[in-house]
Amino acid sequence: MQNPNLIVAAIDFGTTFSGYAFSFRNEYQADPLRVHSSTWTSGSSTMSLKTSSTVLFRPDKRFESFGFDAEDRYSDLALDNEHKSWFYFRRFKMMLYNSKVSLMGVFYFIVTCFHFYPHRQYRHHHQQQHYS
């Protein structure tokens, strides 16, 4: 029986940076080294396969942005002195170990954050293995 999974995804939720990658089954069967990942950019035009582990919530506690977008948005708010009622969390991963938030809750949050970024450009990565 063929495996019913259509996609394999990996999320790297790090203390400083976070990212994700995925591969569709039909693409994997054609080329096992084809992997999709997001290219993140910051206000300084830095491009990376990971974004900062930063999240910003509006004063009403609704999600605003994640990663470099959260940093840039909060910076703009601070420059206009409009940041005081916003909720800005940076490098918050370790705080989750002592909280009552479940691992599935964190996973759901991450997937939701990435879902808000359908405009991300996906890059195809072909990893080459070198044998000595």
Side-chain angles (χ1 to χ4, degrees), residues 42 52 54 65 67-76 88 90:
S42 71
S52 64
T54 306
S65 51
F68 295 139
D69 291 339
E71 290 179 351
D72 293 343
R73 176 75 169 118
Y74 190 75
S75 177
D76 290 343
Y88 179 74
R90 197 164 176 233

Side-chain angles (χ1 to χ4, degrees), residues 10 22 41 46-47 74 81 90 100 111-112 132:
F22 62 93
T41 56
T46 301
M47 293 182 72
Y74 190 75
N81 201 28
R90 197 164 176 233
K100 294 182 181 181
V111 170
T112 302
S132 304

Side-chain angles (χ1 to χ4, degrees), residues 38-94:
S38 181
T39 301
W40 303 85
T41 56
S42 71
S44 62
S45 300
T46 301
M47 293 182 72
S48 175
L49 295 177
K50 292 186 178 183
T51 191
S52 64
S53 296
T54 306
V55 65
L56 179 64
F57 293 93
R58 297 175 185 179
D60 63 3
K61 300 181 183 175
R62 288 186 301 135
F63 173 79
E64 170 66 24
S65 51
F66 182 80
F68 295 139
D69 291 339
E71 290 179 351
D72 293 343
R73 176 75 169 118
Y74 190 75
S75 177
D76 290 343
L77 289 165
L79 285 172
D80 295 334
N81 201 28
E82 297 176 357
H83 65 292
K84 294 178 183 173
S85 60
W86 290 68
F87 299 92
Y88 179 74
F89 301 95
R90 197 164 176 233
R91 298 182 181 172
F92 56 89
K93 177 184 169 185
M94 298 308 287

